[in-house]
Amino acid sequence: MKTAIIFSALFLLLPLSLLAQKDDYRAQAEKLVSQMTLEEKASLCSGLDFWQTKPIKRLDIPSIFMTDGPSGLRKSEGSGIGKNVPATCFPTGSAMAATWDMHLEHEVGSAMGLECQANNVQILLAPGVNMKRSPLNGRNFEYFSEDPYLAGKMGTAFVEGVQSQGVGTSLKHFDANNQEYERMIVSSDVDQRTLHEMYLPAFEMVVKEAHPWTVMCAYNKVNGVYASEDPYLLDTVLRKDWGYKGMVVSDWGAVDNRVEGLKAGLNLEMPGNGGINDRKIVEAVKNGTLDPKVLDQSVTDVLAIILRAHADHRPGTTYSKEKHNALARAAADEAIVLLKNDNNILPLNSRRSRKIAVIGGMAKSPHFEGGGSSEVNPTEVANPYDELEKSLGHAAKLSYAQGYVHDDSTSNDLLHQAQSEARKADVAI
């Protein structure tokens, strides 16, 4: 009985100790902000380059490194977008949601966090919990679901997994990011009921249950106001209604009016702007159009995250590529949903199917990831043809036809070859 009581007391004290630790970072940040010049404060409102915040050497304030992505670490070897460091390519958000497995998603998030630690990344720009309201949305593959409850639960598990490794996350894209076409200027016009019953609940769940270090605002407007300068979303809903204490970062290039964004609650503009918007912030304070207290509060939010990120960094961290690839494969297995199985053709049976034709170029050069922020340089890639060959061994004979070329075109010769191989086989894939 005494053991149970002591355990319960420790369990209750743990969140308080973590809260005290967060308050310590904020107290340190407030002290540092009080020592800064106006120009130094403004400098922390935007990035140093494509991925890093600005350091302030005079006060021993370091920079932090942020990078994509939802499907695995996408860290460029340089300061811009170029060759990426090798990392595990995990299943997309849409695939992970199909597992309905929060424990598995937590495990995947934890693995990504470990890879961030190993590559000196402080914030992983994920997960995306926007609703899938149109099949034309170019980022549907990296969003979890059209259901806010499922998206919220999976997003919560992911954030808790990543942050368990001392690495921050960026919950995105806040809010109503429905399409890629004209995404920099389009307005998602949403009535209040739909906004609060469909578009916001997943974000609210993750914010309240998992406490992501940062929230990323979207490119688009919401009801005519850019998400990067919307006081209703960034202040009223996120901070006042939900009690969010972290940092709001812009999507890369999503800022329209930097001073209005600062007033609304946008802490950090990414990437860097060459000092242009920093000077606008300084001028706004000097001419009285920006309250210095607003700037101080915003910089304190940024600095508290920077201090926390560096305190939690573990130099020398390593991970097992083999174990992480095995986890990615296990997650992919769980994501598979079999919709139809005519004549019980699956699973393939080498006793029944001695000749198997494999049709299509992606059997040997698979398309396994999305573009942009989801482009991972995988430590390992398995292709279907080789895996079939390993699985079946000498029990069945495999043949192959390319069928098409990489620009999605084909020819009569390629089609005839594919038809010929299919006719000769017991089963064509």
Side-chain angles (χ1 to χ4, degrees):
M1 185 65 180
K2 288 181 181 178
T3 304
I5 292 171
I6 292 170
F7 178 81
S8 298
L10 289 172
F11 182 78
L12 290 171
L13 285 171
L14 182 60
L16 295 177
S17 66
L18 290 176
L19 183 61
Q21 192 179 42
K22 292 176 188 176
D23 288 344
D24 287 344
Y25 296 132
R26 183 162 291 278
Q28 293 174 45
E30 289 173 351
K31 185 177 180 180
L32 286 167
V33 170
S34 70
Q35 301 172 50
M36 288 181 191
T37 65
L38 174 58
E39 288 74 18
E40 286 172 335
K41 293 174 186 177
S43 75
L44 284 183
C45 294
S46 64
L48 171 67
D49 51 27
F50 211 81
W51 303 114
Q52 299 179 89
T53 60
K54 295 190 188 81
I56 300 178
K57 294 180 181 178
R58 182 179 72 86
L59 297 171
D60 292 324
I61 296 172
S63 64
I64 59 173
F65 199 102
M66 298 170 278
T67 198
D68 300 313
S71 304
L73 181 68
R74 186 188 78 138
K75 182 182 180 183
S76 297
E77 292 183 343
S79 59
I81 300 178
K83 185 179 179 182
N84 300 328
V85 300
T88 308
C89 185
F90 288 95
T92 62
S94 58
M96 291 306 303
T99 70
W100 297 80
D101 191 332
M102 292 180 292
H103 299 291
L104 181 60
E105 180 70 339
H106 185 284
E107 194 175 355
V108 167
S110 179
M112 286 196 207
L114 192 61
E115 295 192 19
C116 286
Q117 284 283 7
N119 287 280
N120 195 20
V121 169
Q122 282 73 53
I123 294 178
L124 186 68
L125 303 173
V129 297
N130 288 84
M131 292 295 93
K132 302 183 185 186
R133 301 306 304 275
S134 165
L136 302 181
N137 188 340
R139 306 188 91 154
N140 274 344
F141 69 93
E142 65 183 39
Y143 292 150
F144 288 113
S145 177
E146 63 275 33
D147 176 74
Y149 185 79
L150 177 58
K153 284 297 183 185
M154 297 302 286
T156 295
F158 180 88
V159 169
E160 289 177 341
V162 174
Q163 295 188 172
S164 71
Q165 297 295 332
V167 173
T169 54
S170 197
L171 182 66
K172 61 184 188 179
H173 305 83
F174 191 61
D175 183 51
N177 182 237
N178 295 333
Q179 65 187 59
E180 290 297 281
Y181 179 67
E182 294 189 341
R183 67 179 182 179
M184 308 295 283
I185 58 173
V186 70
S187 178
S188 299
D189 298 330
V190 191
D191 65 82
Q192 285 295 301
R193 179 174 179 180
T194 306
L195 185 68
H196 285 271
E197 292 185 3
M198 285 299 301
Y199 288 95
L200 292 175
F203 286 98
E204 181 179 9
M205 186 182 295
V206 180
V207 164
K208 288 183 175 180
E209 295 183 11
H211 312 290
W213 290 13
T214 78
V215 170
M216 184 188 293
C217 70
Y219 287 114
N220 53 280
K221 300 173 185 175
V222 180
N223 295 325
V225 180
Y226 276 107
S228 62
E229 55 193 67
D230 189 338
Y232 178 70
L233 283 176
L234 303 185
D235 187 51
T236 301
V237 173
L238 183 61
R239 288 194 168 91
K240 290 187 173 70
D241 293 350
W242 298 350
Y244 183 63
K245 302 297 183 185
M247 178 179 82
V248 177
V249 60
S250 74
D251 202 343
W252 268 229
V255 171
D256 180 55
N257 185 314
R258 184 64 188 101
V259 173
E260 291 305 309
L262 199 58
K263 293 177 184 177
L266 177 66
N267 300 102
L268 178 65
E269 174 189 3
M270 289 299 291
N273 56 64
I276 295 172
N277 282 340
D278 298 355
R279 291 190 288 272
K280 289 180 180 179
I281 291 170
V282 171
E283 181 59 29
V285 172
K286 288 181 175 179
N287 66 28
T289 57
L290 177 63
D291 188 342
K293 293 180 181 177
V294 171
L295 177 59
D296 286 357
Q297 178 62 54
S298 186
V299 175
T300 300
D301 292 340
V302 174
L303 193 49
I305 294 297
I306 291 173
L307 295 174
R308 182 180 183 183
H310 272 271
D312 286 353
H313 180 52
R314 304 193 300 265
T317 297
T318 60
Y319 68 95
S320 167
K321 297 175 183 177
E322 293 74 21
K323 287 183 179 179
H324 283 199
N325 277 306
L327 174 61
R329 185 164 185 154
D333 287 347
E334 290 299 314
I336 293 170
V337 178
L338 179 61
L339 298 180
K340 194 175 184 180
N341 192 17
D342 282 351
N343 301 319
N344 293 316
I345 199 167
L346 297 175
L348 290 178
N349 188 326
S350 58
R351 288 173 295 181
R352 185 174 60 182
S353 305
R354 299 269 179 190
K355 297 179 181 178
I356 300 175
V358 182
I359 311 295
M362 282 194 286
K364 292 191 174 183
S365 300
H367 189 133
F368 56 89
E369 61 184 354
S373 58
S374 291
E375 289 181 3
V376 177
N377 177 15
T379 56
E380 180 182 311
V381 176
N383 70 64
Y385 185 88
D386 289 346
E387 294 304 309
L388 273 170
E389 204 165 42
K390 290 178 192 174
S391 175
L392 294 169
H394 299 293
K397 181 180 179 182
L398 261 62
S399 63
Y400 167 76
Q402 183 177 337
Y404 52 85
V405 291
H406 290 298
D407 64 0
D408 296 329
S409 64
T410 188
S411 66
N412 286 334
D413 287 342
L414 288 173
L415 289 174
H416 288 154
Q417 181 193 10
Q419 291 166 354
S420 174
E421 294 299 336
R423 287 193 190 99
K424 291 185 288 185
D426 299 316
V427 174
I429 302 173

